[in-house]
Amino acid sequence: MMSCLSIGSRAAVAGLLAVCGQAAAQSSSMNVSGGVCVDQVDPDGNVYEVRAMNEFPCVDDGRWDSARATAAFYFAGTNPEADSHASAKYLPDGSGVVVANRESRNLVIFDPITRAAIKSIALSGSPESVAISPDGTRAVTANISEGTASIVDLVSGTEIAAVVVDLSPTTALINSSGTLAVVSCSGSQTAVVIDLASQSVVRTVATGGIYTQVSVNPETSAYAFRAYGPALAGNTLVFPDSTSDQIKLIDITTGTTASLPCADAPIGVAVTPDGTKAVVSHYLSTRILSVVDVTAGAITSAIGFPVDLWGPVAINPAGTKAVVAVQNACRVVDLVSGSVSGDISTASVNEMYTSADGQYAVCVGFRGSLISYASGTLVKDLNNFVSASVGAVSPTSAQAVMFSDTFGEDMVVMTTNGASGTQLSAGPSGPAPEADRARTAAVSPNGQYTVVVNQQSQTATVLNSFSGAVLHTVNVDRRPGEVKITPDGTRAVVTSRDGTKVSIITLATGAKTDVTISTRADAFEISPDSQYAYVTVITGGDGVWRVNLNTGAVEGAKLATGDMGSVGYGYQQFSGTAISPDGATLVTCNSFTNNITMIDTASWTVIKTVSVGTFPTRASFSADGSEIYVSNLNADTISIVSNAGAASAVTGTALVGDGPFMTCPTPDGSKLYVANYYANNIGVVNLTSNVQVQTIPMPSGQSIAGMVLSPDGASLYVTYGSASISFGGGGYSRTQSGALRVIDTSSNTVVETIPIQYASAGLAISAGGNVAVIPQPWGDGVTVVELGCPSDFDNSGFVDTDDFDAFVLAFEAGTDNADFDGSGFVDTDDFDAFVRAFESGC
C-alpha cells in the first residue's frame, strides 16, 4: 500500500509539492481536510499540489432547550453546476467542448469561444472520463464511483443507458467507426468493450494495472485523479501495463491480446492518427520512451533519456517526433534518430495533445506551452492564468481549451496557430451562479444573514440564516479568502489571495464595491465603528492596508510589518491579525520573523514590533484590551504581551499543547482557551499562573477547524471534521464527518455534540450569540445552527410577553434586528414571521 507523504508539517518550508501516485492495482488514501496530505507553510501563500431551519422545542417552563438543537445544511449554489472537471473533449465539428464533471455528476457543453454553458446533461454516475462518437451524437463516460458507463444522447441531452462495467472505471474511448466503446477499469484491471448499438457489454479483457495519480489542494480539499493511458489505435487498445511491465495490444473486436515485454513502469501513451505507431513513456527513473509498431505488434526502439520522465507524451501525425514531459519541462524526441533535445521550460505538464494541424504539441498546465515538432522549440506560452489539469484540442481549427479543477474551476480558451497563438478568454467555468468549495463564512450580528465565500467559483453567497434562501450571489476576486461582516450588520468584506481587490458587499441589496490594494490578501479586521477594514497582504512587501468602507477607497499608506505567510493547519491558513475591543490597536502575527507588529489605528503608525515565540500565527485580545495572547505554532507556547503602546512587551509565556492555533480569553480574564491543533485538544490556561491546567480532548481522527467563545463566556463552541478520499484496488470513495461541540466553561465539560453533514472548514458565531455558521467545502455550502430561540427576542432565555414588546418596539423603529425574515427590509412579513415563531414557542 502506498500512502501520502507528509512533508514539512511544522517547519517553515516554502515551495512544497507533493503528488501521491500509485499503480491502479494498489490502494491509497489520504486525509484532505485538517491533517492534509501536505501541511505546508509558505511566506508568499502559494498553493501546491499534494489535489427550512429546524424549530427548537421548548421545555414546560417556556425556556428553549438548546440540547435538542439540530443543524441545517444549506447549499450555497444554484443547480446545475459543473463541479470537479475530470475530462474534456471537443465535439467533432469544433462547435462545443464537452466536460465531464465528477462531483456534479453531469456533462456540460461549453461554447469554445465565449465559455458560456450551452447544455447540461445529468448523469446517474460520477464521470471520470468522456469520449465522443465521430458523428458527435453520442458520448460515453466512465463513472468511477458506480462501476458503470453512461451512454449519452448529446442531441437530446439525455442519458439513454447506464451499462454496468467493472470496478473503478477511469477511461472511456470510442473507436473511429463509432460502433464500440471501451472502458478501462483500474480497480478490476480490465477493459470492458460495449456495443453502442445494443448498449451492452460484448467482452471483458484482462489488462493489468494503469498508473494513476491523485493531486490535492490543501486549501480547499479539491482533488483530481489522473489515469495514464490507454489509447486506441484503430481497433487496437494500446495498454501500458504498469504492474507487469508490459505494453499490451488488445484487439477490441475480438479480445485477442499481444503482450510486449518492456522497461519498468510504462504509463503515458500517444498514438498517430492512422493508428500505426504508438509511443509509451516510462515513469521517473526508468528514463525510457518505447516506440511501438502497432501494425507489426512490436517494440521497435527504446530511447533513453538523461532525466526522469513524468508521464504525458504526444506524437506528431507522421510518427517521426514526440514530446515528453519531464520535471517542470519537456523534451523533444526524434523517433527516427533517437536524439533527445534539452529541457524546454514549460512548468509542470499534466496532459499533452497534438494540435489539429499536427505541427505543435499543446501542453496542459499552468503555462499552456506550445512546442513545435519541426523546430523542437517552445513557440509560446498560452495560459499563465491558472494551473490546468484537463484539456482538449479542437479537431477542426487551431484552438485548445484547458480547465482547472484542483486550484479553482476555470476555463482557458486559446488559439494554437504558432507564434500568432493567443489566449482568447479565461475565467470561472460552470453555469453561473456557482458556489464551489465554500471555504469561509460569516454571520451578521443579529444572525439573520450568512455570507459564504466559495473559493473555486470566486463568489460570495448571501443567505437567509433561518430559511437558507439564497438572497444574492456576488462575484468576487480570484482565490477569495477571509470574510467578515461589519459590526453594524450592513456589509460584508471579502479579501482575495490571488487578486488585488477587497470586495465590500451591501447585504440588503447584494451591491458590491471593489477596492484595489495589492495581491495576496487574506486576514483582516474591521473597526468597531464599521468604518475601516485593516487588510494584511503577504507579498510585495508584507503589510497592512487601511480600507475606508464608507468611501470605498484606501486611506493612507500600506504599513510595513514583519514577514507573514501561509502557516499550515487545515485548509492552509495564513498569518493572523487581531484588533483590540476599542479598535485602537491592531496586531499582525509575523510568522516568519517571530514577532508581532502593533499598529495605532488612529494615527495609522506602527507603535512597536515585539519579539515573541517561534512562528506566531494567531492573536487575541483580553476583554479589557490590556493583554494580547499570541499562539506560537512551532514553540507550542502562548506569548502574553502587554498592550501598552511603545512600552508593550512580553510579560509571560504559557506552555501549551502541540501546534497552538486559535485562542479565546474569557470575559473575566481568568482563563484562556487554546486550540492545540496537532495535539487535537482544547487547552485551558490559567491566566493568573500562565499554566495550562487542563485539556479537553477532541475525537480521534478529527481536526479542529474553528473555536469561538459565546458573548457571555458561558459556552465554548468548537467545530471539527475529517475528509478523506481513497482510490485503488478497492475502488474510489469519499468519506467525511464533522460536528459542533458545545463546552460548558464553568465545568470545562462537553455538554452537547451536534453532528454536521460535511467536514468543517471553520466557525463563525453572531455577535448576539444566537447563530453559528460552519462552511463546508465538500458540500458547497454551510451548516447553520441556531444557538438560541428566535422568538426569545430580548435574549432572556425565556419566550414571554417581554419578547413581543421588544419586537414591537424594534419593528416600529424599523431597526435592523426587526428584519426577522432576513429579507433586507422591515415590513409586515417580518411581523407575521415573528408572530408565527412566538406562537410556536420558538
Side-chain angles (χ1 to χ4, degrees):
M1 178 173 181
M2 182 175 178
S3 61
C4 282
L5 182 65
S6 178
I7 303 176
S9 60
R10 303 198 57 227
V13 181
L16 296 180
L17 170 66
V19 177
C20 299
Q22 68 282 339
Q26 300 168 323
S27 295
S28 75
S29 64
M30 67 182 71
N31 189 328
V32 296
S33 173
V36 293
C37 176
V38 170
D39 186 8
Q40 67 172 38
V41 291
D42 177 6
D44 292 331
N46 294 301
V47 184
Y48 302 93
E49 285 181 325
V50 256
R51 252 244 102 208
M53 192 70 188
N54 292 314
E55 292 184 352
F56 300 108
C58 297
V59 296
D60 292 340
D61 64 358
R63 188 179 182 90
W64 63 272
D65 184 4
S66 66
R68 302 184 195 180
T70 56
F73 176 78
Y74 297 133
F75 175 56
T78 303
N79 286 316
E81 295 208 333
D83 292 344
S84 200
H85 307 318
S87 177
K89 296 290 188 299
Y90 271 84
L91 293 172
D93 63 1
S95 63
V97 179
V98 182
V99 181
N101 305 294
R102 186 191 313 109
E103 288 187 17
S104 52
R105 305 204 334 166
N106 62 4
L107 297 178
V108 174
I109 303 177
F110 292 95
D111 185 296
I113 301 296
T114 67
R115 296 186 289 110
I118 300 171
K119 185 182 295 184
S120 176
I121 305 171
L123 302 178
S124 60
S126 309
E128 183 60 29
S129 174
V130 62
I132 310 297
S133 63
D135 63 4
T137 63
R138 294 286 187 269
V140 175
T141 65
N143 302 326
I144 188 171
S145 300
E146 297 76 16
T148 61
S150 294
I151 301 176
V152 178
D153 186 322
L154 293 175
V155 179
S156 66
T158 57
E159 179 185 64
I160 57 178
V163 181
V164 176
V165 286
D166 224 326
L167 187 63
S168 298
T170 52
T171 305
L173 302 164
I174 296 177
N175 67 353
S176 56
S177 63
T179 57
L180 298 175
V182 56
V183 176
S184 175
C185 301
S186 59
S188 56
Q189 299 187 26
T190 56
V192 179
V193 182
I194 300 170
D195 182 278
L196 291 180
S198 64
Q199 299 164 16
S200 61
V201 174
V202 294
R203 65 187 50 84
T204 299
V205 184
T207 58
I210 283 183
Y211 193 87
T212 64
Q213 285 183 333
V214 183
S215 302
V216 178
N217 177 355
E219 193 163 272
T220 60
S221 287
Y223 58 94
F225 297 109
R226 183 166 298 109
Y228 289 94
L232 269 177
N235 285 321
T236 299
L237 187 69
V238 182
F239 192 97
D241 179 358
S242 61
T243 55
S244 301
D245 298 332
Q246 301 178 90
I247 299 170
K248 292 184 176 178
L249 305 180
I250 302 169
D251 187 327
I252 62 171
T253 64
T254 64
T256 303
T257 301
S259 297
L260 310 178
C262 65
D264 291 344
I267 58 168
V269 57
V271 300
T272 55
D274 63 7
T276 61
K277 183 177 285 188
V279 287
V280 176
S281 63
H282 297 257
Y283 194 49
L284 292 183
S285 59
T286 306
R287 298 184 173 184
I288 292 291
L289 181 72
S290 292
V291 182
V292 181
D293 185 324
V294 178
T295 305
I299 297 173
T300 57
S301 63
I303 300 172
F305 280 72
V307 294
D308 294 352
L309 306 188
W310 273 46
V313 59
I315 189 171
N316 69 342
T320 58
K321 296 285 185 68
V323 178
V324 186
V326 300
Q327 185 174 8
N328 295 320
C330 287
R331 294 199 174 207
V332 179
V333 187
D334 187 312
L335 300 177
V336 178
S337 67
S339 63
V340 177
S341 75
D343 280 357
I344 299 172
S345 180
T346 58
S348 183
V349 174
N350 296 309
E351 294 180 347
M352 201 180 303
Y353 299 98
T354 296
S355 59
D357 61 8
Q359 295 185 48
Y360 307 101
V362 181
C363 301
V364 178
F366 177 72
R367 292 188 183 171
S369 300
L370 194 67
I371 296 175
S372 168
Y373 285 115
S375 66
T377 60
L378 173 67
V379 176
K380 201 167 188 180
D381 289 333
L382 301 173
N383 183 359
N384 289 315
F385 177 75
V386 69
S387 180
S389 298
V390 174
V393 293
S394 171
T396 61
S397 64
Q399 191 186 87
V401 293
M402 296 180 191
F403 292 86
S404 61
D405 55 356
T406 313
F407 300 104
E409 287 183 346
D410 294 278
M411 178 179 178
V412 183
V413 183
M414 57 206 72
T415 58
T416 59
N417 50 332
S420 300
T422 188
Q423 185 182 113
L424 296 179
S425 68
S429 56
E434 283 199 302
D436 296 337
R437 304 299 180 192
R439 185 178 167 274
T440 58
V443 59
S444 61
N446 64 2
Q448 293 175 342
Y449 292 108
T450 291
V451 180
V452 186
V453 169
N454 314 297
Q455 191 174 90
Q456 294 209 168
S457 56
Q458 300 161 40
T459 56
T461 305
V462 183
L463 299 166
N464 180 314
S465 302
F466 303 118
S467 69
V470 173
L471 305 177
H472 317 290
T473 301
V474 183
N475 294 325
V476 291
D477 210 349
R478 293 193 59 75
R479 197 179 161 198
E482 192 168 10
V483 58
K484 282 184 168 69
I485 292 176
T486 54
D488 64 9
T490 62
R491 292 165 292 186
V493 180
V494 182
T495 54
S496 168
R497 291 184 165 189
D498 272 356
T500 59
K501 303 291 193 300
V502 174
S503 297
I504 307 167
I505 301 168
T506 301
L507 296 178
T509 64
K512 180 192 66 165
T513 299
D514 284 331
V515 182
T516 300
I517 54 169
S518 54
T519 192
R520 214 56 113 239
D522 185 63
F524 70 99
E525 296 293 339
I526 297 177
S527 60
D529 63 3
S530 301
Q531 183 173 354
Y532 293 106
Y534 307 111
V535 183
T536 63
V537 290
I538 63 172
T539 57
D542 294 12
V544 185
W545 292 95
R546 180 171 60 175
V547 177
N548 189 315
L549 301 178
N550 296 326
T551 64
V554 168
E555 191 169 301
K558 180 179 69 172
L559 296 184
T561 65
D563 293 341
M564 299 175 285
S566 169
V567 297
Y569 305 115
Y571 299 98
Q572 195 188 14
Q573 305 298 317
F574 281 13
S575 300
T577 184
I579 194 168
S580 60
D582 62 3
T585 306
L586 182 75
V587 168
T588 65
C589 296
N590 309 322
S591 305
F592 293 84
T593 47
N594 299 325
N595 52 34
I596 61 172
T597 297
M598 302 180 66
I599 295 170
D600 183 308
T601 59
S603 64
W604 199 235
T605 57
V606 173
I607 307 167
K608 191 172 184 181
T609 298
V610 181
S611 295
V612 290
T614 308
F615 214 70
T617 59
R618 289 294 182 270
S620 62
F621 279 83
S622 60
D624 64 5
S626 64
E627 290 187 325
I628 307 161
Y629 310 106
V630 182
S631 301
N632 303 307
L633 174 65
N634 288 356
D636 297 338
T637 60
I638 303 295
S639 293
I640 301 165
V641 181
S642 61
N643 181 20
S648 299
V650 174
T651 60
T653 301
L655 180 64
V656 292
D658 191 10
F661 190 17
M662 299 155 286
T663 58
C664 294
T666 56
D668 63 4
S670 64
K671 291 183 291 188
L672 180 74
Y673 290 95
V674 182
N676 295 315
Y677 183 80
Y678 294 109
N680 199 31
N681 62 41
I682 305 301
V684 184
V685 176
N686 182 314
L687 287 176
T688 301
S689 62
N690 293 340
V691 173
Q692 180 173 283
V693 295
Q694 184 181 348
T695 58
I696 306 166
M698 293 293 106
S700 176
Q702 305 289 303
S703 294
I704 299 168
M707 183 177 73
V708 181
L709 195 66
S710 63
D712 61 5
S715 299
L716 183 73
Y717 299 100
V718 181
T719 185
Y720 54 81
S722 173
S724 64
I725 55 175
S726 63
F727 177 77
Y732 159 81
S733 66
R734 294 196 314 167
T735 59
Q736 57 184 318
S737 61
L740 174 67
R741 269 203 171 161
V742 185
I743 297 170
D744 185 308
T745 58
S746 63
S747 62
N748 291 329
T749 58
V750 176
V751 295
E752 187 175 1
T753 299
I754 303 170
I756 57 178
Q757 187 173 354
Y758 302 99
S760 166
L763 173 66
I765 289 179
S766 61
N770 62 327
V771 173
V773 297
I774 305 165
Q776 295 165 292
W778 271 7
D780 289 348
V782 64
T783 288
V784 177
V785 182
E786 198 168 333
L787 302 174
C789 178
S791 49
D792 178 21
F793 200 75
D794 62 1
N795 295 316
S796 66
F798 296 87
V799 177
D800 52 25
T801 56
D802 289 341
D803 298 295
F804 199 95
D805 293 342
F807 177 77
V808 169
L809 289 172
F811 181 79
E812 289 177 342
T815 56
D816 288 340
N817 62 338
D819 180 20
F820 198 78
D821 63 0
S823 66
F825 303 92
V826 177
D827 52 25
T828 55
D829 290 340
D830 298 296
F831 199 95
D832 293 341
F834 178 77
V835 168
R836 287 193 298 271
F838 184 80
E839 289 176 342
S840 71
C842 279

